[in-house]
Amino acid sequence: MIETAGQEPEYDEAAICFLEVLWGEGYLSPGGPEEVDRVLSGLDLSGRRVLDLGCGAGGITLHIARTYGPASIVGFDVEKPVIEKARQAAEAAGLSDRVTFVRAAPGGLPFADGSFDVVFSKDALVHVADKDAIFREIARVLAPGGVFAASDWMIGHDGAPSPDMRAYLDAEGLSFGMASAERYLKAMAGAGLVNLRAESRNGWYRDVAREELARLRGPLGAEAARIVGRAYVDKNIRTWEAMQKVLDSGEHCPTHLRGEKPAGAGL
């Protein structure tokens, strides 16, 4: 999530409330804990130091803390409203002793070299335009032998967006720096990560988004309207309608990513 000095946060209280009605408390991206578990499939986080990069309102960070037994987990984001929400949730859950939330301005990550054994991210790197720079930072804060595991919202190519994709991006109105899976893998390789994998989740979210749209047109939309207002819900219905077109065409490609920092790499 990108925030510049003096700029209003993109994920304000209304956005947080709306997305939590749709996706669950503390979740600002789809799939809930089940999709988080799919991103982390096969990884043993017990006793490891974990960074949740772009942690949003903290639902994922708390799920990892409860479920995977890390030695420590840090949730990092650049926006104040989501970090405040995450800290409140950690305190309410009695997890403040095991979970830390950090906010800092966009740029280099405020962590020492080799601080983490696992860097996780869920649908947040789309907000970072410079993919090479963010993956250099991810590789820097990973310890040798550490793992990067993520999901992100991607475009199916690196050319100009189609008119339908342009309409979707305009409807979102967010700082999306979308790129292809190939572009991500190139940036990961350039940062020195190895054993790279990318798995499209377009088919999964294409169907899920259609269900979400139906729910927004029905009782769920009415519930959300009581919290954030009818106009806000109607705007998001138009956004989901635009998004469905590019999911159906395959141009919008949510994707899982995995990579490792070589065990022999220096800090």
Side-chain angles (χ1 to χ4, degrees), residues 67-87:
T67 307
Y68 288 89
S72 62
I73 182 165
V74 176
F76 172 79
D77 211 292
V78 301
E79 293 205 339
K80 184 177 180 180
V82 296
I83 286 293
E84 290 180 345
K85 175 82 173 178
R87 287 172 177 160

Side-chain angles (χ1 to χ4, degrees), residues 37-152:
D37 293 342
R38 283 187 284 265
V39 174
L40 292 171
S41 176
L43 291 181
D44 181 4
L45 272 59
S46 59
R48 308 192 81 184
R49 301 166 299 164
V50 180
L51 172 64
D52 181 2
L53 180 57
C55 65
I60 290 172
T61 319
L62 300 185
H63 171 68
I64 292 173
R66 291 187 185 104
T67 307
Y68 288 89
S72 62
I73 182 165
V74 176
F76 172 79
D77 211 292
V78 301
E79 293 205 339
K80 184 177 180 180
V82 296
I83 286 293
E84 290 180 345
K85 175 82 173 178
R87 287 172 177 160
Q88 292 166 6
E91 184 172 353
L95 292 171
S96 296
D97 59 334
R98 290 194 280 153
V99 179
T100 303
F101 289 101
V102 174
R103 174 180 175 256
L109 297 175
F111 307 108
D113 295 358
S115 293
F116 301 100
D117 303 303
V118 177
V119 173
F120 172 91
S121 186
K122 177 73 164 62
D123 304 336
L125 300 183
V126 65
H127 292 281
V128 181
D130 191 336
K131 308 303 181 191
D132 295 311
I134 191 59
F135 279 110
R136 285 194 297 269
E137 281 296 283
I138 289 168
R140 180 184 66 78
V141 302
L142 271 174
V147 177
F148 169 71
S151 175
D152 209 31

